[in-house]
Amino acid sequence: LAVINSQAFRAHELIADLMLFARPPALSVAPVDLVGLADQVVSELAAEAAAQRTTLVRLPQASPVIVPADRAHLAAALKAMCVNSLEALRLGGRIDVAVHIAADAEEEPGVAKWAEIVIADTGPGISPEVRRHLFDPYFSGREAGRGIGLGLSKSWRIVTEHGGRIDVESQPERGATFRIRLPA
């Protein structure tokens, strides 16, 4: 019964992810503190990280970082990205989640234009071939049976619906860093 129940929830999640692409839901936008959101997601994944002996931490941030966003959708995007890092690490390693305000170099100095959530892991990194398809639905850089390839594409869809973007930095065997950039 437990297996049937977990597979029913997995099927429900798969259908919900598919619907996100077919017809994105209207966002319920309100001021959201990204620091509190990151704390919530890290807390929800703490047991899973501990079970695989992975260190999952949110790096300190003294003040709130407030953006207009749909809290539930943004939490789902951040959680999918953290789960992706956990799956890449499998056993051991470290995932740091940081939140801060950033400005593009070409913009006026000292004027915040973006809020960033940075997820950095010490995993195997991402090859250039996999990186080209990273946010494509159903694409998975892992071996068969380890994911269906919707986590990162779901995150990308949610972030772009908020007017943001996701930047990726990675080299094979040197981990990966994902930056969710949202208008501040």
Side-chain angles (χ1 to χ4, degrees):
L1 289 176
V3 170
I4 291 169
N5 188 46
S6 71
Q7 292 305 313
F9 278 113
R10 187 169 186 240
H12 173 72
E13 186 176 318
L14 173 64
I15 292 167
D17 289 348
L18 291 171
M19 290 301 296
L20 181 68
F21 293 102
R23 188 178 314 157
L27 299 176
S28 177
V29 177
V32 174
D33 175 15
L34 296 180
V35 174
L37 183 80
D39 284 340
Q40 171 194 328
V41 170
V42 167
S43 175
E44 288 174 6
L45 295 173
E48 187 176 337
Q52 71 177 49
R53 296 192 301 268
T54 297
T55 303
L56 173 62
V57 295
R58 192 199 45 85
L59 299 178
Q61 165 64 25
S63 59
V65 175
I66 309 293
V67 298
D70 183 307
R71 182 179 181 85
H73 284 93
L74 210 48
L78 178 57
K79 187 172 185 177
M81 295 184 78
C82 289
V83 166
N84 185 73
S85 287
L86 283 168
E87 290 174 355
L89 288 169
R90 289 192 196 181
L91 190 62
R94 181 178 174 95
I95 303 167
D96 292 330
V97 179
V99 178
H100 60 270
I101 295 290
D104 285 332
E106 67 270 6
E107 293 176 1
E108 187 179 333
V111 176
K113 298 293 181 184
W114 297 99
E116 280 189 343
I117 304 173
V118 181
I119 303 102
D121 66 51
T122 60
I126 305 165
S127 72
E129 175 57 32
V130 170
R131 218 163 134 188
R132 280 192 285 278
H133 302 285
L134 205 54
F135 298 110
D136 293 350
Y138 308 110
F139 178 82
S140 178
R142 295 185 183 82
E143 65 269 8
R146 293 205 60 230
I148 55 174
L150 285 175
L152 291 179
S153 55
K154 172 174 69 171
S155 296
W156 177 85
R157 179 66 165 200
I158 291 169
V159 170
T160 58
E161 287 289 316
H162 281 85
R165 70 179 198 242
I166 301 176
D167 298 324
V168 183
E169 301 165 15
S170 180
Q171 294 180 2
E173 305 308 319
R174 292 199 174 167
T177 301
F178 291 84
R179 294 179 188 281
I180 298 173
R181 300 191 81 178
L182 299 164

